[in-house]
Amino acid sequence: MDIRSSFEALDNKLTSCGGLNGGGITRLLYSEAWSNAIHTLKSTLENEGFEARFDSVGNLKGRIEGSKYPDETIMSGSHIDTVVEGGHLDGQFGVLAALVAMQSLKAEHGQPLRSLELLALAEEEGSRFPYAFWGSKNFFNLANKADVSSIADGEGVNFEDAMHEAGFDYRTVDNDFSYIKSFVEVHIEQGKVLESEQKAIGIVNGIVGQKRYTVNLKGEANHAGTTPMGLRKDAVVAFSKIANELTDQARAFGDPLVITFGRVDPVPNTVNVVPGEVTFSIDCRHINQVELNQFAEKIDACIKRVSEEEAVEYDIDLWMDEAPTLMDEQLVSEVKKAAEHVVGSSDCKVMPSGAGHDSQIFAKYIPTAMIFVPSINGVSHNVEEETDIEDLVKGIEVLKQVLYQLAYKE
Amino acid sequence: MDIRSSFEALDNKLTSCGGLNGGGITRLLYSEAWSNAIHTLKSTLENEGFEARFDSVGNLKGRIEGSKYPDETIMSGSHIDTVVEGGHLDGQFGVLAALVAMQSLKAEHGQPLRSLELLALAEEEGSRFPYAFWGSKNFFNLANKADVSSIADGEGVNFEDAMHEAGFDYRTVDNDFSYIKSFVEVHIEQGKVLESEQKAIGIVNGIVGQKRYTVNLKGEANHAGTTPMGLRKDAVVAFSKIANELTDQARAFGDPLVITFGRVDPVPNTVNVVPGEVTFSIDCRHINQVELNQFAEKIDACIKRVSEEEAVEYDIDLWMDEAPTLMDEQLVSEVKKAAEHVVGSSDCKVMPSGAGHDSQIFAKYIPTAMIFVPSINGVSHNVEEETDIEDLVKGIEVLKQVLYQLAYKE
């Protein structure tokens, strides 16, 4: 079978579930588009000889039983939901890459020694309801009724009602995941590191830790004309000094540290008033916990020193503090070998993921690895999201080689 | 007569027109509160022996005829309107200071040699309709029907309808102002220069020129986790470098230059997206046109250089470019002499006004000067606006001395 044409046919079929006129997909958890997608996928799996079944919340598994070690299962997949007006690759590509790779292995090599399982996770994005990783957190018995029973979507539909409407319900017994030996997720990079370095395959060694802050600076609102520079307590000036200094420090600290001041809300936000207050966000990420903590100390110190210099009061709220998640070393090394075998070592890059993925949940329980393919201009969460078809095919071929090593070799 | 008790009685009487429960005044042009205020003032003037009359738009004049040089008129006053939830001193104090000073002069010295005229201008703030200086611009035949015939207030009431409702109309013949020899306006400082330097009286030598800009920077919106620092075009980082550098440059340039970045609107303004765009305001003021222009060149150069360094595109819109207005040198020197006579030279400060006032219109046609009294904590345009009663009395006494020199001396 031809990997490219198989993938393109499946991608067209699944993209039609929630597909938008101008390209891209809106496929929110438990929506009609979502139901169409998972039921289309289930019948496709059944037609292709997989044993397909849902868990209680709607995670879909498709299994090819192993001949010799059926209890050792090699799993691959990703999530089936999208953001509002998302692309056709974020999540969906990981599901279809697993399907095409497993089909192709079966066509070429017959039944594997170990079992192969495709996984289409119900939800990862947190785009319909204010809850992310519903799929993978249920997979590992981490999500509970209490987490979602009181939440609703933007139109006021309760989580529970939407779930029941789609034919699913809370799990009543814990899932067993002990039979899974390895999990490999293929995903688009959603950044432009691979593109800018002209690499075809990223071998993900971990998912960055991240700290998110809301910082409030309080100075004094004053008339912009009658208040000399020396009598001001200008919160925006203090912000600009903090953002400027921390950006310089982050650049000097070096990759893969990133820092972002994405949100800036001055008060009163008017041309002729010295801004007496500003609230801004900091998002800081690094793959190494020690270095992330080191930089967090610089953030604290900078805010405190500049606030003192500029005579403003500060409040620092660190509301997200997620540790980095390292991928399984041995599995990463298997993936690297496979990638080098398929595309050559000069076309591969071992790299951290700057974005969160289902794999960060899996890695805590199961040896896990990820394969990245490039994103054109780094665009994602947008209908313009795209990857060259040659790069998509390479990603599938690398996964196929990994699954071959893991499931077909002694 | 006692200046303090006279002022307090008049202030209470007039403040009741539009006075708010928690203190302060809302008195918008042509509103009921405004009508009450000007008619109350007119009958007060008449009771005190002034010849009181309105012009067509509602500017109120109260005249005491001079005995020897009746055609040489010394005028003093300010505006009678307020901002929404404004204080009881902005504008109103200048009107009442003129009234009390003229009453007191007449009581002590009888009829002046030159005529004295009090002026209560209908409108200065631009708070009800999007048009400011309606009073003084009509006084000098600068405002026209075409400027206001299509504007309405926040509740959809047309300017014209409101004016007719209050009993006023467009002027049909030009006002004559050639008979006015000098204009002196008393006003609260609305800043905290006098307070911080412990001065009782400010002698205003000019009103600053101001340039207002809207600057747009366009970079590239990217994922905050997957985009390394070196691959970003971060508009907020570029803004923070510009604001930081220009603030440092303004501080080094020295008083009275001020620069304010009051408005900052990043897009999309979200914690986990590298901001691809930001629109921000710059408000820059100086009393000296040459120095203001020099700093404007620094503004341009800084935006251009930082935009290049940070790989963002810039658009600079200079939408307000008002020249400084100098007060009349000889009249300023008269006011200074009078202030030094009343409060002593150590209690006076010659200073520019950082805010706009009716006097900037007058100064183009008539020798004009201003007297400032301190504002507690610099607060204005707020119900908390206040000045120590001792400082208010000193302001009235200085004006009285100025008017004495101008109207009672040969």
Side-chain angles (χ1 to χ4, degrees), chain A residues 218-282:
Chain A
K218 270 204 181 67
E220 199 172 81
N222 284 123
H223 192 297
T226 63
T227 316
M229 298 303 281
L231 295 180
R232 296 180 176 208
K233 297 176 180 176
D234 184 327
V236 163
V237 165
F239 161 74
S240 75
K241 290 195 177 293
I242 290 165
N244 184 34
E245 287 189 21
L246 288 175
T247 298
D248 286 347
Q249 286 184 34
R251 287 169 177 172
F253 201 88
D255 289 335
L257 183 94
V258 287
I259 189 166
T260 306
F261 305 88
R263 186 186 148 214
V264 189
D265 288 318
V267 178
N269 211 26
T270 305
V271 56
N272 59 346
V273 179
V274 178
E277 188 175 350
V278 68
T279 301
F280 65 95
S281 65
I282 301 178

Side-chain angles (χ1 to χ4, degrees), chain A residues 189-193 196 208 210 212-213 220 222-234 236-237 239-241 243-248 250-251 255 257-275 281-283 285 310 319 353-356 377-381, chain B residues 189-193 196 208 210 212-213 220 222-234 236-237 239-241 243-248 250-251 255 257-275 281-283 285 310 319 353-356 377-381:
Chain A
E189 183 200 341
Q190 303 179 283
K192 42 190 177 178
V193 172
S196 67
V208 296
Q210 56 183 300
R212 291 189 187 174
Y213 305 76
E220 199 172 81
N222 284 123
H223 192 297
T226 63
T227 316
M229 298 303 281
L231 295 180
R232 296 180 176 208
K233 297 176 180 176
D234 184 327
V236 163
V237 165
F239 161 74
S240 75
K241 290 195 177 293
N244 184 34
E245 287 189 21
L246 288 175
T247 298
D248 286 347
R251 287 169 177 172
D255 289 335
L257 183 94
V258 287
I259 189 166
T260 306
F261 305 88
R263 186 186 148 214
V264 189
D265 288 318
V267 178
N269 211 26
T270 305
V271 56
N272 59 346
V273 179
V274 178
S281 65
I282 301 178
D283 177 313
R285 310 190 193 194
E310 297 294 329
W319 55 270
S353 169
N377 205 24
V379 174
S380 185
H381 283 197
Chain B
E189 182 199 341
Q190 303 180 283
K192 42 191 178 179
V193 172
S196 68
V208 296
Q210 55 183 303
R212 290 189 187 174
Y213 305 76
E220 198 173 82
N222 285 123
H223 192 297
T226 62
T227 315
M229 298 303 281
L231 295 180
R232 296 180 177 208
K233 298 174 180 176
D234 185 327
V236 163
V237 165
F239 161 73
S240 74
K241 290 195 178 291
N244 184 34
E245 287 189 22
L246 287 176
T247 299
D248 286 347
R251 287 168 176 172
D255 288 336
L257 184 94
V258 287
I259 189 166
T260 307
F261 306 87
R263 185 185 148 213
V264 189
D265 288 318
V267 177
N269 212 25
T270 305
V271 57
N272 60 346
V273 178
V274 177
S281 65
I282 301 179
D283 176 314
R285 310 191 193 192
E310 296 295 329
W319 55 270
S353 168
N377 205 23
V379 174
S380 185
H381 284 196

Side-chain angles (χ1 to χ4, degrees), chain B residues 105-121:
Chain B
L105 284 168
K106 206 171 62 147
E108 281 176 34
H109 306 288
Q111 193 181 12
L113 299 182
R114 294 182 188 81
S115 300
L116 282 170
E117 239 180 64
L118 175 146
L119 178 63
L121 288 156

Side-chain angles (χ1 to χ4, degrees), chain A residues 80-300:
Chain A
I80 199 74
D81 70 316
T82 73
V83 297
V84 174
E85 297 182 5
H88 71 118
L89 296 171
D90 180 0
Q92 178 167 294
F93 177 59
V95 174
L96 295 185
L99 176 48
V100 174
M102 290 176 187
Q103 279 178 319
S104 176
L105 284 168
K106 206 172 63 147
E108 281 175 34
H109 305 289
Q111 193 182 14
L113 298 182
R114 295 181 186 81
S115 299
L116 283 169
E117 238 179 67
L118 174 147
L119 178 63
L121 288 157
E123 199 274 347
E124 184 253 17
E125 300 284 4
S127 288
R128 178 172 180 185
F129 299 98
Y131 191 95
F133 297 108
W134 175 246
S136 49
K137 285 190 170 176
N138 266 286
F139 197 87
F140 293 101
N141 308 310
L142 303 168
N144 293 300
K145 181 174 174 172
D147 301 330
V148 295
S149 58
S150 64
I151 64 177
D153 68 9
E155 294 176 355
V157 179
N158 285 331
F159 189 98
E160 276 187 19
D161 293 344
M163 177 167 64
H164 292 159
E165 174 82 14
F168 297 101
D169 207 341
Y170 301 114
R171 58 173 202 284
T172 49
V173 289
D174 274 1
N175 289 316
D176 174 31
F177 50 82
S178 65
Y179 68 96
I180 303 165
K181 194 162 181 272
S182 312
F183 178 73
V184 183
E185 181 179 14
V186 182
H187 208 283
I188 55 169
E189 183 200 341
Q190 303 179 283
K192 42 190 177 178
V193 172
L194 291 175
E195 181 181 74
S196 67
E197 299 189 16
Q198 296 183 290
K199 307 285 185 184
I201 296 290
I203 299 122
V204 177
N205 58 357
I207 293 171
V208 296
Q210 56 183 300
K211 294 178 190 279
R212 291 189 187 174
Y213 305 76
T214 300
V215 183
N216 178 270
L217 303 178
K218 270 204 181 67
E220 199 172 81
N222 284 123
H223 192 297
T226 63
T227 316
M229 298 303 281
L231 295 180
R232 296 180 176 208
K233 297 176 180 176
D234 184 327
V236 163
V237 165
F239 161 74
S240 75
K241 290 195 177 293
I242 290 165
N244 184 34
E245 287 189 21
L246 288 175
T247 298
D248 286 347
Q249 286 184 34
R251 287 169 177 172
F253 201 88
D255 289 335
L257 183 94
V258 287
I259 189 166
T260 306
F261 305 88
R263 186 186 148 214
V264 189
D265 288 318
V267 178
N269 211 26
T270 305
V271 56
N272 59 346
V273 179
V274 178
E277 188 175 350
V278 68
T279 301
F280 65 95
S281 65
I282 301 178
D283 177 313
C284 184
R285 310 190 193 194
H286 198 289
I287 189 63
N288 181 296
Q289 182 73 65
V290 174
E291 297 188 67
L292 182 59
N293 289 345
Q294 277 172 2
F295 203 82
E297 283 174 25
K298 291 178 190 285
I299 290 172
D300 269 13

